[in-house]
Amino acid sequence: MKNSIGIKLFIGITLFSIIIVSFSWVLNTKFLEDYYFKKKQENLFKYAEAIQTMYSNNVNDIDFTLKSIEDSIGGNITILNENGIEIYGSMFMSHRGGKGKGNPKAMSLLTKKGLNKVLSGETILEYYIHPRFNTMSLVLAAPLINGNILIMESPVSSIKESVEVAKDFHIYIGIISLLAGTFLAFIFSKIFTKPIIELNKVAKSMAKLDFSKKYRVKNDDEINQLGKTINYLSDKLDTSISELNRANKRLMDDIEKERELEKSRKEFVSNVSHELKTPISLIQGYAEGLRDSVIEDEESKNFYCDVIIDEAKKMDKLVKDLLNLSQLEAGYYQLQKESFNIYKLSQKIIDKYLPILKERNITLQINCDNKKLKVYADIIRIEQVIVNLINNAINHVDDKKTIKINIRDYIEKVKIEIINTGKAIPEEEMDKIWDSFYKIDKSRARKYGGTGLGLSIVKSILNLHNNSFGVSNIDDEVMFWFEMDKWV
Ligand SMILES: Nc1ncnc2c1ncn2[C@@H]1O[C@H](COP(=O)(O)OP(=O)(O)O)[C@@H](O)[C@H]1O
Ligand SMILES: [Mg+2]
């Protein structure tokens, strides 16, 4: 709360009530007495006038009125006849001189000058100071009809007393007003600052980027309008910052992708160079050998030429595979799908392999659930898949020299399994073998002319078809499999 608007408001309102109370107290002490005097005098004149109009030589007619006026002014009324004899007078008068004896005492309240003025028809007001008690009275004397005189006397002490009482009372009123004012100031500052404190809380959490807190709008005053504006600002900021974050995330992802692309591009170039290095240096070496005629005999020359042709073939295969892969991975490759008999296609491919299988003494079995099975796919690309997988099986078959091809009929799919007896593929390599240029055993791959592109071509083709594929080790066999959409 220190230095807060609430404290300032509280101090302000309290000071204000102190000033108001003090000011009214000063005014009171300074002017109340004078005001009382003025009022008293005015009243005396007013009553004198009233008596003048009502009086008609018979005091008894207005006796009751005179009594009530005496009560009002807190003093005494005396009426003297033309001979100076008291025809009406209060008790007070009697112990000064006595009633009906030509009262010189009532007259003695007036100065000579005053008495003359009254006798000449003027109404006068004078002060009388009691010689023994030293008390002061206001004395009004007025002429009545037939030379009668009205004398009204009101003690000033009663005025002073009333003023003192009023002043005392005013002090109590002041203290009570101050206490009430302070209390109200406290309540008021609390009520006034509560929404401001709430607004501040909302703004503070906004500064910490927490937009969950909202101002509870209660009415339509300026503070609540500010609350509404802050709520609106909070919503706007929330959406903008979230959008910004999303955009930033996308940008980061793009940068990451770009980085990965750049990395794979570099890897690709280095892989291609590496693949080409060996055949090029071999071709170069053997060609130079031929030119420099290091060897004379025909047989050796033929061997040199065979090496050169063989290496050139490998380079040719590499370039063809690369072109193939880049075509498939370009993103706009269009498959030419058609329905065809998968058993017939497999048989046709196997026929081409018969000489090599015979030469290497490999047994190949084909099992088909249904020889009439048709699939819907790009026949040329599927042939490529099967050729690649059979090639791998031939290159990796072990001494048991057995290869199996299973064609399985499922509900919506046809599954092809190509299985060769051989060494299991380590679990951690199973994902990597599908990457370009990846070979588990590099020197072995070189012997059979492997580029490490075969399985990545298979993967690309099957991904384009949206078909599943995979590899698993079963006992002493390795099984590669893939699925195709069944034509029904
Ligand atoms: N039938 C298989 N048995 C064991 N390993 C295999 C088999 N087929 C593929 N591989 C492994 O996967 C790698 C990648 O195969 P591939 O992409 O066809 O390249 P390449 O045949 O040119 O070596 C091979 O180098 C080999 O290590
Ligand atoms: Mg291969």
Side-chain angles (χ1 to χ4, degrees):
M1 257 301 246
K2 204 182 157 220
N3 220 356
S4 81
I5 193 165
I7 295 247
K8 282 178 193 160
L9 207 63
F10 173 69
I11 291 174
I13 298 173
T14 308
L15 276 180
F16 182 71
S17 37
I18 289 176
I19 288 170
I20 291 288
V21 168
S22 316
F23 189 62
S24 87
W25 188 77
V26 167
L27 286 182
N28 200 35
T29 42
K30 272 239 168 296
F31 300 112
L32 187 60
E33 201 170 329
D34 289 352
Y35 180 74
Y36 255 55
F37 261 102
K38 269 255 147 54
K39 208 69 196 167
K40 195 96 186 180
Q41 290 172 5
E42 268 174 28
N43 279 347
L44 286 178
F45 275 109
K46 205 174 77 194
Y47 287 133
E49 234 171 81
I51 294 169
Q52 274 174 329
T53 15
M54 281 187 295
Y55 185 65
S56 55
N57 235 350
N58 192 352
V59 201
N60 293 333
D61 290 350
I62 56 164
D63 189 72
F64 183 74
T65 318
L66 292 173
K67 286 251 156 43
S68 80
I69 293 175
E70 280 184 322
D71 269 356
S72 300
I73 61 172
N76 307 290
I77 297 177
T78 308
I79 295 177
L80 304 174
N81 68 9
E82 65 273 19
N83 301 320
I85 291 170
E86 180 186 318
I87 53 169
Y88 175 87
S90 63
M91 300 274 286
F92 171 72
M93 281 305 190
S94 61
H95 62 73
R96 278 194 198 161
K99 208 174 175 181
K101 293 179 192 165
N103 190 350
K105 287 282 162 68
M107 296 249 245
S108 73
L109 291 171
L110 298 169
T111 55
K112 242 197 172 77
K113 207 171 129 198
L115 186 61
N116 286 335
K117 276 189 179 172
V118 178
L119 289 174
S120 63
E122 238 180 89
T123 300
I124 59 135
L125 185 81
E126 284 184 336
Y127 288 103
Y128 170 78
I129 292 167
H130 198 284
R132 256 198 301 150
F133 304 121
N134 211 21
T135 53
M136 197 163 77
S137 297
L138 265 178
V139 179
L140 180 139
L144 296 171
I145 51 164
N146 300 332
N148 290 3
I149 298 172
L150 167 73
I151 299 173
M152 295 166 87
E153 186 229 10
S154 174
V156 169
S157 64
S158 78
I159 301 179
K160 283 204 184 282
E161 206 180 329
S162 306
V163 168
E164 281 316 311
V165 169
K167 277 182 188 169
D168 264 8
F169 186 63
H170 210 102
I171 288 177
Y172 291 122
I173 295 274
I175 290 170
I176 290 169
S177 309
L178 261 185
L179 287 179
T182 312
F183 178 68
L184 285 178
F186 179 74
I187 300 282
F188 181 65
S189 59
K190 270 262 179 260
I191 291 173
F192 186 74
T193 49
K194 204 178 156 221
I196 298 179
I197 290 169
E198 201 187 323
L199 268 180
N200 195 27
K201 269 188 200 152
V202 174
K204 268 186 183 160
S205 40
M206 273 169 73
K208 286 179 198 146
L209 298 186
D210 169 12
F211 302 108
S212 61
K213 279 206 179 69
K214 291 280 183 297
Y215 179 77
R216 275 170 295 141
V217 180
K218 288 141 208 136
N219 50 49
D220 206 33
D221 67 10
E222 286 85 347
I223 290 180
N224 279 276
Q225 280 178 17
L226 179 63
K228 261 190 211 167
T229 313
I230 285 187
N231 284 350
Y232 177 73
L233 187 71
S234 162
D235 284 342
K236 276 273 156 199
L237 269 177
D238 194 10
T239 41
S240 307
I241 288 179
S242 313
E243 245 163 53
L244 211 66
N245 277 341
R246 270 197 296 276
N248 197 34
K249 175 92 180 40
R250 270 199 301 272
L251 191 72
M252 297 298 276
D253 288 352
D254 285 354
I255 291 174
E256 187 54 29
K257 255 184 225 156
E258 191 64 34
R259 209 174 275 149
E260 239 139 56
L261 211 70
E262 185 58 31
K263 196 176 139 212
S264 66
R265 215 175 277 143
K266 276 186 185 147
E267 260 173 28
F268 182 81
V269 171
S270 109
N271 279 327
V272 173
S273 323
H274 188 81
E275 288 299 322
L276 288 173
K277 217 165 67 190
T278 320
I280 288 173
S281 52
L282 279 173
I283 289 171
Q284 192 186 359
Y286 281 84
E288 278 170 2
L290 273 178
R291 188 193 59 197
D292 299 342
S293 307
V294 181
I295 27 122
E296 298 294 324
D297 62 299
E298 198 64 25
E299 205 182 319
S300 303
K301 253 184 202 166
N302 283 343
F303 172 70
Y304 273 49
C305 287
D306 283 348
V307 171
I308 290 170
I309 291 164
D310 204 40
E311 293 302 319
K313 269 187 189 157
K314 277 182 192 161
M315 280 168 64
D316 183 53
K317 185 178 181 299
L318 178 73
V319 171
K320 274 187 185 140
D321 280 354
L322 275 176
L323 278 175
N324 222 316
L325 197 62
S326 79
Q327 238 183 1
L328 289 167
E329 287 183 344
Y332 45 80
Y333 185 81
Q334 285 289 323
L335 290 174
Q336 309 291 320
K337 285 192 184 179
E338 59 187 293
S339 61
F340 58 89
N341 184 310
I342 184 66
Y343 175 73
K344 274 189 188 158
L345 177 73
S346 311
Q347 203 58 59
K348 191 186 98 186
I349 298 167
I350 292 167
D351 285 348
K352 287 189 201 163
Y353 276 96
L354 285 176
I356 191 169
L357 291 170
K358 203 174 170 191
E359 185 194 311
R360 300 204 187 174
N361 225 353
I362 297 171
T363 347
L364 193 146
Q365 307 161 359
I366 176 160
N367 307 305
C368 187
D369 286 353
N370 174 3
K371 289 185 182 171
K372 291 200 168 77
L373 262 183
K374 280 192 162 185
V375 295
Y376 184 68
D378 186 323
I379 186 164
I380 296 173
R381 294 298 161 184
I382 294 298
E383 179 172 351
Q384 219 179 341
V385 169
I386 298 173
V387 165
N388 266 304
L389 294 180
I390 293 180
N391 262 334
N392 284 352
I394 291 171
N395 290 328
H396 294 95
V397 75
D398 66 0
D399 295 339
K400 287 188 191 128
K401 294 191 183 289
T402 314
I403 296 175
K404 278 181 281 181
I405 297 175
N406 298 326
I407 302 172
R408 300 199 183 280
D409 182 6
Y410 288 162
I411 299 163
E412 284 183 338
K413 302 277 179 186
V414 173
K415 189 180 183 191
I416 308 266
E417 297 168 350
I418 295 171
I419 305 163
N420 65 276
T421 52
K423 214 170 89 190
I425 297 176
E427 210 62 38
E428 67 274 12
E429 306 277 5
M430 281 193 168
D431 282 340
K432 296 183 196 156
I433 53 173
W434 305 93
D435 294 344
S436 314
F437 300 108
Y438 194 83
K439 306 156 207 163
I440 298 174
D441 184 341
K442 287 196 177 64
S443 59
R444 182 160 173 205
R446 167 126 196 96
K447 268 183 210 137
Y448 62 77
T451 56
L453 291 175
L455 285 183
S456 39
I457 290 170
V458 169
K459 177 172 124 182
S460 291
I461 293 169
L462 294 171
N463 277 339
L464 281 172
H465 279 84
N466 265 333
N467 283 328
S468 343
F469 56 90
V471 58
S472 45
N473 300 312
I474 310 162
D475 299 331
D476 54 351
E477 291 174 329
V478 173
M479 175 177 87
F480 280 81
W481 61 268
F482 67 95
E483 287 181 345
M484 279 171 295
D485 295 336
K486 192 157 102 177
W487 179 260
V488 278

